[in-house]
Coordinates of all heavy atoms in Angstrom, one line a residue:
T279 N 82.7 97.1 97.3 CA 83.6 96.1 98.0 C 83.8 94.9 97.1 O 83.0 94.7 96.2 CB 83.1 95.6 99.4 OG1 81.9 94.8 99.1 CG2 82.6 96.7 100.3
L281 N 84.3 91.7 98.4 CA 83.7 90.6 99.1 C 82.4 91.0 99.7 O 82.2 92.1 100.1 CB 84.6 90.0 100.1 CG 85.9 89.4 99.6 CD1 86.8 88.8 100.7 CD2 85.7 88.3 98.6
S282 N 81.5 90.0 99.8 CA 80.2 90.2 100.4 C 80.2 90.2 101.9 O 81.3 90.0 102.5 CB 79.2 89.1 100.0 OG 79.6 87.9 100.6
D283 N 79.1 90.4 102.5 CA 79.1 90.5 104.0 C 79.2 89.1 104.7 O 79.0 89.0 105.9 CB 77.8 91.2 104.5 CG 76.5 90.6 104.1 OD1 76.6 89.5 103.5 OD2 75.5 91.1 104.4
A284 N 79.4 88.0 103.9 CA 79.8 86.8 104.5 C 81.2 86.8 105.0 O 81.6 86.0 105.8 CB 79.7 85.6 103.4
F285 N 82.0 87.8 104.6 CA 83.4 88.0 105.0 C 83.5 89.3 105.8 O 82.7 90.2 105.6 CB 84.3 88.1 103.7 CG 84.2 86.9 102.8 CD1 83.2 86.9 101.8 CD2 85.1 85.9 102.9 CE1 83.1 85.8 101.0 CE2 85.0 84.8 102.0 CZ 84.0 84.7 101.0
P286 N 84.5 89.4 106.6 CA 84.7 90.6 107.4 C 84.8 91.9 106.5 O 84.4 92.9 106.9 CB 86.1 90.3 108.1 CG 86.1 88.8 108.3 CD 85.4 88.3 107.1
W287 N 85.4 91.7 105.4 CA 85.6 92.9 104.4 C 84.2 93.4 104.1 O 84.0 94.7 104.2 CB 86.3 92.3 103.2 CG 86.7 93.3 102.2 CD1 86.3 94.6 102.0 CD2 87.7 93.1 101.1 NE1 86.9 95.2 100.9 CE2 87.8 94.3 100.4 CE3 88.5 92.1 100.7 CZ2 88.6 94.5 99.3 CZ3 89.3 92.2 99.6 CH2 89.4 93.4 98.9
G288 N 83.3 92.6 103.7 CA 82.0 93.1 103.3 C 81.2 93.6 104.5 O 80.5 94.6 104.5
Q289 N 81.5 93.0 105.7 CA 80.8 93.4 106.9 C 81.3 94.8 107.3 O 80.6 95.6 107.9 CB 81.1 92.4 108.0 CG 80.4 91.1 107.8 CD 81.0 90.0 108.7 OE1 81.6 90.3 109.8 NE2 80.8 88.8 108.3
A290 N 82.6 95.2 107.0 CA 83.1 96.5 107.3 C 82.3 97.6 106.5 O 82.0 98.6 107.1 CB 84.6 96.6 106.9
A291 N 82.0 97.3 105.2 CA 81.3 98.2 104.4 C 79.8 98.4 105.0 O 79.3 99.5 105.0 CB 81.2 97.8 103.0
E292 N 79.2 97.3 105.3 CA 77.9 97.3 105.9 C 77.8 98.1 107.2 O 76.9 98.8 107.5 CB 77.3 95.9 106.1 CG 77.1 95.1 104.8 CD 75.9 95.5 104.0 OE1 75.2 96.4 104.5 OE2 75.7 95.0 102.9
K293 N 78.9 97.9 108.0 CA 78.9 98.6 109.3 C 79.1 100.1 109.1 O 78.4 100.9 109.8 CB 80.1 98.1 110.1 CG 80.2 98.7 111.5 CD 79.1 98.2 112.4 CE 79.3 98.5 113.9 NZ 78.2 98.0 114.7
W294 N 79.9 100.5 108.1 CA 80.0 101.9 107.7 C 78.7 102.5 107.3 O 78.3 103.6 107.8 CB 81.1 102.0 106.6 CG 81.5 103.4 106.3 CD1 81.4 104.6 107.1 CD2 82.2 103.9 105.1 NE1 81.9 105.6 106.4 CE2 82.4 105.3 105.2 CE3 82.6 103.2 103.9 CZ2 83.0 106.0 104.2 CZ3 83.2 103.9 103.0 CH2 83.5 105.3 103.1
L297 N 76.3 102.9 110.4 CA 76.7 104.0 111.3 C 76.4 105.4 110.6 O 75.9 106.3 111.3 CB 78.2 103.9 111.6 CG 78.6 102.8 112.5 CD1 80.1 102.8 112.7 CD2 77.8 102.8 113.9
V337 N 85.4 100.4 100.3 CA 86.2 99.8 101.3 C 87.1 98.9 100.5 O 86.7 97.8 100.0 CB 85.5 99.1 102.4 CG1 86.5 98.5 103.3 CG2 84.5 100.0 103.1
G338 N 88.3 99.4 100.2 CA 89.2 98.7 99.2 C 90.4 98.1 99.7 O 90.9 98.4 100.8
S339 N 91.0 97.3 98.9 CA 92.3 96.6 99.3 C 93.5 97.3 98.8 O 93.5 97.8 97.7 CB 92.2 95.2 98.6 OG 93.5 94.6 98.5
E362 N 100.8 91.6 113.8 CA 99.7 92.7 113.9 C 100.3 94.0 114.5 O 99.9 95.1 114.0 CB 98.5 92.2 114.7 CG 97.8 91.0 114.0 CD 96.9 90.3 114.9 OE1 96.9 90.6 116.1 OE2 96.1 89.5 114.4
V365 N 101.8 95.9 111.7 CA 100.8 96.5 110.8 C 100.3 97.8 111.5 O 100.2 98.8 110.8 CB 99.7 95.5 110.6 CG1 98.6 96.2 109.7 CG2 100.2 94.3 109.9
D366 N 100.0 97.7 112.7 CA 99.4 98.9 113.4 C 100.5 100.0 113.5 O 100.1 101.2 113.4 CB 99.0 98.5 114.8 CG 97.8 97.6 114.8 OD1 97.1 97.5 113.8 OD2 97.6 97.0 115.9
A390 N 89.9 106.0 106.7 CA 90.2 105.1 107.8 C 90.8 103.8 107.3 O 90.7 103.5 106.1 CB 88.9 104.8 108.6
W391 N 91.4 103.0 108.2 CA 92.0 101.7 107.9 C 91.0 100.6 108.3 O 90.4 100.7 109.4 CB 93.3 101.6 108.6 CG 94.4 102.5 108.2 CD1 94.8 103.7 108.8 CD2 95.3 102.4 107.0 NE1 95.8 104.2 108.1 CE2 96.1 103.5 107.0 CE3 95.4 101.4 106.0 CZ2 97.1 103.7 106.0 CZ3 96.3 101.6 105.0 CH2 97.2 102.7 105.0
G392 N 91.0 99.5 107.6 CA 90.4 98.3 108.0 C 91.5 97.2 107.8 O 92.7 97.5 107.7
E393 N 91.1 95.9 107.8 CA 92.1 94.9 107.6 C 91.5 93.6 107.0 O 90.5 93.1 107.4 CB 92.6 94.5 109.0 CG 93.7 93.5 108.9 CD 94.5 93.4 110.3 OE1 95.4 94.3 110.5 OE2 94.2 92.5 111.1
N394 N 92.1 93.2 105.9 CA 91.8 91.9 105.3 C 92.6 90.8 105.9 O 92.2 89.6 105.8 CB 92.0 92.0 103.8 CG 91.3 90.8 103.0 OD1 90.3 90.3 103.5 ND2 91.9 90.5 101.9
G395 N 93.7 91.2 106.5 CA 94.5 90.2 107.3 C 95.8 89.7 106.6 O 96.0 90.0 105.4
F396 N 96.5 88.9 107.3 CA 97.7 88.3 106.7 C 97.3 87.2 105.7 O 96.4 86.4 106.0 CB 98.6 87.7 107.8 CG 99.4 88.7 108.6 CD1 99.1 89.1 109.8 CD2 100.6 89.2 108.0 CE1 99.8 90.0 110.5 CE2 101.4 90.1 108.7 CZ 101.0 90.5 109.9
P459 N 93.8 85.4 103.1 CA 93.7 85.4 104.5 C 92.9 84.2 105.0 O 92.1 83.6 104.2 CB 92.9 86.7 104.8 CG 93.1 87.6 103.6 CD 93.2 86.6 102.4
S461 N 90.3 84.2 106.8 CA 88.9 84.4 106.7 C 88.3 84.0 105.4 O 87.2 83.4 105.3 CB 88.5 85.9 107.0 OG 89.2 86.7 106.0
V462 N 89.1 84.3 104.3 CA 88.7 83.9 103.0 C 88.7 82.3 102.8 O 87.8 81.7 102.3 CB 89.5 84.6 101.9 CG1 89.1 84.0 100.5 CG2 89.3 86.1 102.0
N483 N 100.5 91.5 104.6 CA 99.2 91.9 105.2 C 98.5 92.8 104.2 O 99.2 93.6 103.5 CB 99.4 92.6 106.5 CG 98.1 92.8 107.2 OD1 97.4 93.7 106.9 ND2 97.9 92.0 108.2
D484 N 97.2 92.7 104.1 CA 96.4 93.5 103.2 C 95.5 94.4 104.0 O 94.3 94.1 104.2 CB 95.6 92.6 102.3 CG 94.8 93.4 101.3 OD1 95.2 94.5 101.0 OD2 93.8 92.8 100.8
P485 N 95.9 95.6 104.4 CA 95.0 96.5 105.1 C 93.9 97.0 104.1 O 94.2 97.1 102.9 CB 95.9 97.7 105.4 CG 97.3 97.2 105.5 CD 97.3 96.1 104.4
L486 N 92.8 97.3 104.6 CA 91.7 97.8 103.8 C 91.6 99.3 104.1 O 92.1 99.8 105.1 CB 90.3 97.2 104.2 CG 90.2 95.7 104.1 CD1 88.9 95.2 104.6 CD2 90.4 95.3 102.7
I487 N 91.1 100.1 103.1 CA 91.0 101.5 103.2 C 89.6 102.0 102.9 O 89.0 101.6 101.9 CB 92.0 102.2 102.3 CG1 93.5 101.8 102.7 CG2 91.9 103.7 102.4 CD1 94.5 102.3 101.7
F488 N 89.0 102.8 103.8 CA 87.7 103.4 103.6 C 88.0 104.7 102.9 O 88.8 105.6 103.4 CB 87.0 103.7 104.9 CG 86.6 102.5 105.7 CD1 87.6 101.6 106.3 CD2 85.3 102.1 105.9 CE1 87.2 100.5 107.1 CE2 84.9 101.0 106.6 CZ 85.9 100.2 107.2
A509 N 82.4 107.6 111.2 CA 81.8 106.3 111.0 C 82.8 105.4 110.4 O 82.8 104.2 110.7 CB 80.5 106.5 110.2
A510 N 83.6 105.8 109.5 CA 84.6 105.0 108.8 C 85.6 104.5 109.8 O 86.0 103.4 109.9 CB 85.3 105.7 107.7
V511 N 86.1 105.5 110.7 CA 87.1 105.1 111.7 C 86.5 104.1 112.6 O 87.2 103.0 113.0 CB 87.5 106.4 112.5 CG1 88.4 106.0 113.7 CG2 88.3 107.3 111.6
D512 N 85.3 104.3 113.1 CA 84.7 103.3 114.0 C 84.4 102.0 113.4 O 84.6 100.9 114.0 CB 83.4 103.9 114.6 CG 83.6 105.1 115.5 OD1 84.8 105.3 115.9 OD2 82.6 105.8 115.8
A513 N 83.9 102.0 112.1 CA 83.7 100.7 111.4 C 85.0 100.0 111.2 O 85.1 98.8 111.3 CB 83.0 101.0 110.1
G514 N 86.1 100.7 110.9 CA 87.4 100.1 110.7 C 87.9 99.5 111.9 O 88.4 98.3 111.9
E515 N 87.8 100.2 113.0 CA 88.3 99.6 114.3 C 87.5 98.4 114.7 O 88.1 97.4 115.2 CB 88.2 100.7 115.4 CG 89.2 101.9 115.2 CD 89.1 103.0 116.2 OE1 88.1 102.9 117.0 OE2 90.0 103.8 116.3
W516 N 86.2 98.5 114.5 CA 85.3 97.3 114.8 C 85.7 96.1 113.9 O 85.8 95.0 114.5 CB 83.9 97.7 114.5 CG 82.9 96.6 114.6 CD1 82.3 96.1 115.7 CD2 82.4 95.9 113.5 NE1 81.4 95.1 115.4 CE2 81.5 94.9 114.0 CE3 82.6 95.9 112.1 CZ2 80.8 94.0 113.2 CZ3 81.9 95.0 111.3 CH2 81.0 94.1 111.8
E517 N 86.0 96.4 112.7 CA 86.3 95.2 111.7 C 87.6 94.7 112.0 O 87.8 93.4 111.9 CB 86.2 95.7 110.3 CG 86.3 94.6 109.2 CD 87.7 94.5 108.8 OE1 88.5 95.4 108.9 OE2 88.1 93.4 108.2
I518 N 88.6 95.5 112.3 CA 90.0 95.0 112.6 C 89.9 94.1 113.9 O 90.5 93.0 113.9 CB 90.9 96.2 112.8 CG1 91.2 96.9 111.5 CG2 92.3 95.7 113.5 CD1 92.0 98.2 111.7
A519 N 89.2 94.6 114.9 CA 89.1 93.8 116.1 C 88.4 92.5 115.9 O 88.9 91.4 116.3 CB 88.4 94.6 117.2
M520 N 87.4 92.5 115.1 CA 86.6 91.3 114.8 C 87.5 90.3 114.0 O 87.5 89.1 114.3 CB 85.4 91.6 114.0 CG 84.6 90.4 113.6 SD 83.2 90.9 112.5 CE 84.0 91.6 111.1
T521 N 88.1 90.8 113.0 CA 89.0 89.9 112.2 C 90.0 89.2 113.0 O 90.3 88.0 112.8 CB 89.6 90.8 111.0 OG1 88.6 91.4 110.2 CG2 90.5 89.9 110.2
R522 N 90.7 90.0 113.9 CA 91.8 89.4 114.6 C 91.2 88.4 115.7 O 91.8 87.4 115.9 CB 92.6 90.5 115.3 CG 93.3 91.3 114.3 CD 94.1 92.5 114.9 NE 94.8 93.2 113.8 CZ 95.6 94.3 114.1 NH1 95.7 94.8 115.3 NH2 96.2 94.9 113.1
E523 N 90.1 88.8 116.3 CA 89.5 87.9 117.3 C 89.1 86.5 116.8 O 89.1 85.5 117.5 CB 88.4 88.6 118.0 CG 88.7 89.7 118.9 CD 87.6 90.5 119.4 OE1 86.4 90.2 119.0 OE2 87.7 91.5 120.1
Q524 N 88.7 86.5 115.5 CA 88.2 85.3 114.9 C 89.3 84.4 114.3 O 89.0 83.2 114.0 CB 87.2 85.7 113.7 CG 85.9 86.3 114.2 CD 85.1 86.7 113.0 OE1 85.5 86.8 111.9 NE2 83.8 87.1 113.3
E525 N 90.5 84.8 114.3 CA 91.6 84.1 113.7 C 91.8 82.7 114.3 O 91.8 81.7 113.6 CB 92.9 84.8 113.8 CG 93.0 86.0 112.8 CD 93.3 85.6 111.4 OE1 94.5 85.3 111.0 OE2 92.3 85.6 110.6
R528 N 88.8 80.4 113.5 CA 88.8 80.0 112.1 C 89.9 78.9 111.9 O 89.6 77.9 111.2 CB 89.1 81.2 111.2 CG 88.0 82.2 111.1 CD 88.2 83.2 110.0 NE 87.3 84.3 110.0 CZ 86.0 84.2 109.6 NH1 85.6 83.1 109.1 NH2 85.2 85.3 109.6

Side-chain angles (χ1 to χ4, degrees):
T279 68
L281 295 179
S282 72
D283 61 5
F285 303 84
W287 187 343
Q289 292 165 21
E292 293 287 354
K293 186 70 170 180
W294 189 18
L297 293 176
V337 179
S339 157
E362 292 166 350
V365 177
D366 293 342
W391 295 97
E393 185 165 280
N394 196 25
F396 281 102
S461 61
V462 175
N483 188 282
D484 181 25
L486 302 177
I487 298 173
F488 294 70
V511 170
D512 291 345
E515 291 177 349
W516 171 84
E517 186 267 341
I518 290 170
M520 175 185 64
T521 299
R522 293 177 180 179
E523 288 170 3
Q524 292 176 347
E525 287 284 279
R528 291 192 186 283

